[in-house]
PDB file of all heavy atoms in Angstrom:
ATOM      1  N   HIS C  91       8.711 -11.489  -2.938  1.00  0.00           N
ATOM      2  CA  HIS C  91       9.800 -11.511  -1.961  1.00  0.00           C
ATOM      3  C   HIS C  91       9.867 -12.877  -1.285  1.00  0.00           C
ATOM      4  O   HIS C  91       9.788 -12.990  -0.057  1.00  0.00           O
ATOM      5  CB  HIS C  91       9.603 -10.416  -0.907  1.00  0.00           C
ATOM      6  CG  HIS C  91       9.525  -9.047  -1.489  1.00  0.00           C
ATOM      7  ND1 HIS C  91      10.627  -8.392  -1.990  1.00  0.00           N
ATOM      8  CD2 HIS C  91       8.481  -8.212  -1.670  1.00  0.00           C
ATOM      9  CE1 HIS C  91      10.261  -7.214  -2.448  1.00  0.00           C
ATOM     10  NE2 HIS C  91       8.957  -7.084  -2.273  1.00  0.00           N
ATOM     11  N   GLU C  92      10.026 -13.911  -2.090  1.00  0.00           N
ATOM     12  CA  GLU C  92       9.979 -15.280  -1.588  1.00  0.00           C
ATOM     13  C   GLU C  92      10.997 -15.540  -0.477  1.00  0.00           C
ATOM     14  O   GLU C  92      10.658 -16.106   0.564  1.00  0.00           O
ATOM     15  CB  GLU C  92      10.209 -16.251  -2.747  1.00  0.00           C
ATOM     16  CG  GLU C  92      10.123 -17.703  -2.334  1.00  0.00           C
ATOM     17  CD  GLU C  92      10.309 -18.623  -3.517  1.00  0.00           C
ATOM     18  OE1 GLU C  92       9.540 -18.501  -4.490  1.00  0.00           O
ATOM     19  OE2 GLU C  92      11.227 -19.453  -3.448  1.00  0.00           O
ATOM     20  N   ASN C  93      12.243 -15.134  -0.672  1.00  0.00           N
ATOM     21  CA  ASN C  93      13.266 -15.389   0.348  1.00  0.00           C
ATOM     22  C   ASN C  93      12.951 -14.693   1.660  1.00  0.00           C
ATOM     23  O   ASN C  93      13.130 -15.275   2.731  1.00  0.00           O
ATOM     24  CB  ASN C  93      14.655 -14.985  -0.152  1.00  0.00           C
ATOM     25  CG  ASN C  93      15.220 -16.004  -1.096  1.00  0.00           C
ATOM     26  OD1 ASN C  93      14.909 -17.194  -1.019  1.00  0.00           O
ATOM     27  ND2 ASN C  93      16.049 -15.556  -2.008  1.00  0.00           N
ATOM     28  N   ARG C  94      12.489 -13.462   1.595  1.00  0.00           N
ATOM     29  CA  ARG C  94      12.142 -12.735   2.817  1.00  0.00           C
ATOM     30  C   ARG C  94      11.010 -13.449   3.558  1.00  0.00           C
ATOM     31  O   ARG C  94      11.051 -13.611   4.778  1.00  0.00           O
ATOM     32  CB  ARG C  94      11.756 -11.289   2.500  1.00  0.00           C
ATOM     33  CG  ARG C  94      11.415 -10.510   3.763  1.00  0.00           C
ATOM     34  CD  ARG C  94      11.235  -9.035   3.541  1.00  0.00           C
ATOM     35  NE  ARG C  94      10.233  -8.758   2.527  1.00  0.00           N
ATOM     36  CZ  ARG C  94      10.126  -7.594   1.895  1.00  0.00           C
ATOM     37  NH1 ARG C  94      10.969  -6.625   2.158  1.00  0.00           N
ATOM     38  NH2 ARG C  94       9.186  -7.403   1.010  1.00  0.00           N
ATOM     39  N   THR C  95      10.014 -13.902   2.818  1.00  0.00           N
ATOM     40  CA  THR C  95       8.894 -14.619   3.425  1.00  0.00           C
ATOM     41  C   THR C  95       9.379 -15.903   4.082  1.00  0.00           C
ATOM     42  O   THR C  95       8.989 -16.224   5.211  1.00  0.00           O
ATOM     43  CB  THR C  95       7.816 -14.931   2.368  1.00  0.00           C
ATOM     44  OG1 THR C  95       7.369 -13.706   1.778  1.00  0.00           O
ATOM     45  CG2 THR C  95       6.638 -15.657   2.987  1.00  0.00           C
ATOM     46  N   LEU C  96      10.237 -16.650   3.394  1.00  0.00           N
ATOM     47  CA  LEU C  96      10.756 -17.890   3.967  1.00  0.00           C
ATOM     48  C   LEU C  96      11.616 -17.624   5.203  1.00  0.00           C
ATOM     49  O   LEU C  96      11.565 -18.393   6.171  1.00  0.00           O
ATOM     50  CB  LEU C  96      11.548 -18.670   2.921  1.00  0.00           C
ATOM     51  CG  LEU C  96      10.702 -19.322   1.829  1.00  0.00           C
ATOM     52  CD1 LEU C  96      11.596 -19.932   0.763  1.00  0.00           C
ATOM     53  CD2 LEU C  96       9.757 -20.359   2.411  1.00  0.00           C
ATOM     54  N   MET C  97      12.385 -16.549   5.205  1.00  0.00           N
ATOM     55  CA  MET C  97      13.192 -16.199   6.379  1.00  0.00           C
ATOM     56  C   MET C  97      12.292 -15.871   7.571  1.00  0.00           C
ATOM     57  O   MET C  97      12.563 -16.284   8.699  1.00  0.00           O
ATOM     58  CB  MET C  97      14.125 -15.025   6.079  1.00  0.00           C
ATOM     59  CG  MET C  97      15.300 -15.409   5.218  1.00  0.00           C
ATOM     60  SD  MET C  97      16.578 -14.139   5.046  1.00  0.00           S
ATOM     61  CE  MET C  97      15.667 -12.720   4.490  1.00  0.00           C
ATOM     62  N   GLN C  98      11.210 -15.149   7.330  1.00  0.00           N
ATOM     63  CA  GLN C  98      10.275 -14.805   8.400  1.00  0.00           C
ATOM     64  C   GLN C  98       9.609 -16.059   8.963  1.00  0.00           C
ATOM     65  O   GLN C  98       9.457 -16.210  10.175  1.00  0.00           O
ATOM     66  CB  GLN C  98       9.213 -13.828   7.896  1.00  0.00           C
ATOM     67  CG  GLN C  98       9.749 -12.461   7.567  1.00  0.00           C
ATOM     68  CD  GLN C  98       8.734 -11.598   6.819  1.00  0.00           C
ATOM     69  OE1 GLN C  98       7.807 -12.103   6.175  1.00  0.00           O
ATOM     70  NE2 GLN C  98       8.912 -10.283   6.912  1.00  0.00           N
ATOM     71  N   LEU C  99       9.219 -16.948   8.063  1.00  0.00           N
ATOM     72  CA  LEU C  99       8.583 -18.191   8.488  1.00  0.00           C
ATOM     73  C   LEU C  99       9.566 -19.070   9.253  1.00  0.00           C
ATOM     74  O   LEU C  99       9.222 -19.658  10.280  1.00  0.00           O
ATOM     75  CB  LEU C  99       8.018 -18.930   7.272  1.00  0.00           C
ATOM     76  CG  LEU C  99       7.145 -20.137   7.544  1.00  0.00           C
ATOM     77  CD1 LEU C  99       6.001 -19.803   8.482  1.00  0.00           C
ATOM     78  CD2 LEU C  99       6.606 -20.687   6.230  1.00  0.00           C
ATOM     79  N   ALA C 100      10.801 -19.156   8.801  1.00  0.00           N
ATOM     80  CA  ALA C 100      11.835 -19.940   9.490  1.00  0.00           C
ATOM     81  C   ALA C 100      12.073 -19.384  10.892  1.00  0.00           C
ATOM     82  O   ALA C 100      12.224 -20.153  11.856  1.00  0.00           O
ATOM     83  CB  ALA C 100      13.125 -19.934   8.681  1.00  0.00           C
ATOM     84  N   LYS C 101      12.078 -18.072  11.018  1.00  0.00           N
ATOM     85  CA  LYS C 101      12.266 -17.449  12.336  1.00  0.00           C
ATOM     86  C   LYS C 101      11.129 -17.850  13.268  1.00  0.00           C
ATOM     87  O   LYS C 101      11.354 -18.192  14.432  1.00  0.00           O
ATOM     88  CB  LYS C 101      12.344 -15.933  12.193  1.00  0.00           C
ATOM     89  CG  LYS C 101      12.617 -15.219  13.487  1.00  0.00           C
ATOM     90  CD  LYS C 101      12.752 -13.719  13.264  1.00  0.00           C
ATOM     91  CE  LYS C 101      13.003 -13.030  14.592  1.00  0.00           C
ATOM     92  NZ  LYS C 101      13.149 -11.584  14.433  1.00  0.00           N
ATOM     93  N   LEU C 102       9.906 -17.809  12.767  1.00  0.00           N
ATOM     94  CA  LEU C 102       8.746 -18.206  13.565  1.00  0.00           C
ATOM     95  C   LEU C 102       8.874 -19.663  14.011  1.00  0.00           C
ATOM     96  O   LEU C 102       8.567 -20.003  15.148  1.00  0.00           O
ATOM     97  CB  LEU C 102       7.457 -18.008  12.758  1.00  0.00           C
ATOM     98  CG  LEU C 102       6.172 -18.518  13.403  1.00  0.00           C
ATOM     99  CD1 LEU C 102       5.796 -17.649  14.593  1.00  0.00           C
ATOM    100  CD2 LEU C 102       5.053 -18.558  12.393  1.00  0.00           C
ATOM    101  N   LEU C 103       9.346 -20.519  13.110  1.00  0.00           N
ATOM    102  CA  LEU C 103       9.482 -21.953  13.408  1.00  0.00           C
ATOM    103  C   LEU C 103      10.756 -22.267  14.181  1.00  0.00           C
ATOM    104  O   LEU C 103      10.989 -23.416  14.544  1.00  0.00           O
ATOM    105  CB  LEU C 103       9.456 -22.754  12.107  1.00  0.00           C
ATOM    106  CG  LEU C 103       8.156 -22.688  11.313  1.00  0.00           C
ATOM    107  CD1 LEU C 103       8.326 -23.351   9.955  1.00  0.00           C
ATOM    108  CD2 LEU C 103       7.011 -23.325  12.092  1.00  0.00           C
ATOM    109  N   GLU C 104      11.569 -21.231  14.386  1.00  0.00           N
ATOM    110  CA  GLU C 104      12.845 -21.375  15.092  1.00  0.00           C
ATOM    111  C   GLU C 104      13.752 -22.390  14.417  1.00  0.00           C
ATOM    112  O   GLU C 104      14.337 -23.265  15.046  1.00  0.00           O
ATOM    113  CB  GLU C 104      12.604 -21.732  16.564  1.00  0.00           C
ATOM    114  CG  GLU C 104      11.842 -20.669  17.307  1.00  0.00           C
ATOM    115  CD  GLU C 104      11.542 -21.025  18.741  1.00  0.00           C
ATOM    116  OE1 GLU C 104      11.633 -22.211  19.125  1.00  0.00           O
ATOM    117  OE2 GLU C 104      11.183 -20.104  19.494  1.00  0.00           O
ATOM    118  N   VAL C 105      13.861 -22.252  13.090  1.00  0.00           N
ATOM    119  CA  VAL C 105      14.777 -23.080  12.313  1.00  0.00           C
ATOM    120  C   VAL C 105      15.695 -22.164  11.508  1.00  0.00           C
ATOM    121  O   VAL C 105      15.360 -21.020  11.209  1.00  0.00           O
ATOM    122  CB  VAL C 105      14.035 -24.061  11.360  1.00  0.00           C
ATOM    123  CG1 VAL C 105      13.195 -25.031  12.132  1.00  0.00           C
ATOM    124  CG2 VAL C 105      13.193 -23.311  10.350  1.00  0.00           C
ATOM    125  N   GLU C 106      16.850 -22.705  11.175  1.00  0.00           N
ATOM    126  CA  GLU C 106      17.800 -21.940  10.400  1.00  0.00           C
ATOM    127  C   GLU C 106      17.370 -21.927   8.932  1.00  0.00           C
ATOM    128  O   GLU C 106      16.924 -22.936   8.405  1.00  0.00           O
ATOM    129  CB  GLU C 106      19.170 -22.606  10.513  1.00  0.00           C
ATOM    130  CG  GLU C 106      20.316 -21.639  10.398  1.00  0.00           C
ATOM    131  CD  GLU C 106      21.631 -22.326  10.694  1.00  0.00           C
ATOM    132  OE1 GLU C 106      21.802 -22.802  11.824  1.00  0.00           O
ATOM    133  OE2 GLU C 106      22.442 -22.389   9.766  1.00  0.00           O
ATOM    134  N   TYR C 107      17.493 -20.786   8.315  1.00  0.00           N
ATOM    135  CA  TYR C 107      17.160 -20.679   6.893  1.00  0.00           C
ATOM    136  C   TYR C 107      18.297 -20.003   6.159  1.00  0.00           C
ATOM    137  O   TYR C 107      18.776 -18.963   6.568  1.00  0.00           O
ATOM    138  CB  TYR C 107      15.876 -19.874   6.673  1.00  0.00           C
ATOM    139  CG  TYR C 107      15.600 -19.605   5.219  1.00  0.00           C
ATOM    140  CD1 TYR C 107      15.101 -20.599   4.402  1.00  0.00           C
ATOM    141  CD2 TYR C 107      15.884 -18.350   4.652  1.00  0.00           C
ATOM    142  CE1 TYR C 107      14.880 -20.367   3.057  1.00  0.00           C
ATOM    143  CE2 TYR C 107      15.661 -18.123   3.309  1.00  0.00           C
ATOM    144  CZ  TYR C 107      15.146 -19.132   2.518  1.00  0.00           C
ATOM    145  OH  TYR C 107      14.936 -18.909   1.189  1.00  0.00           O
ATOM    146  N   GLY C 108      18.697 -20.623   5.090  1.00  0.00           N
ATOM    147  CA  GLY C 108      19.711 -20.018   4.230  1.00  0.00           C
ATOM    148  C   GLY C 108      19.226 -20.075   2.803  1.00  0.00           C
ATOM    149  O   GLY C 108      18.989 -21.149   2.275  1.00  0.00           O
TER     150      GLY C 108
END
Side-chain angles (χ1 to χ4, degrees):
H91 302 287
E92 182 178 303
N93 283 331
R94 181 171 56 198
T95 302
L96 288 174
M97 286 189 306
Q98 292 169 337
L99 189 54
K101 183 177 179 180
L102 174 70
L103 296 172
E104 298 177 343
V105 297
E106 210 173 298
Y107 173 76

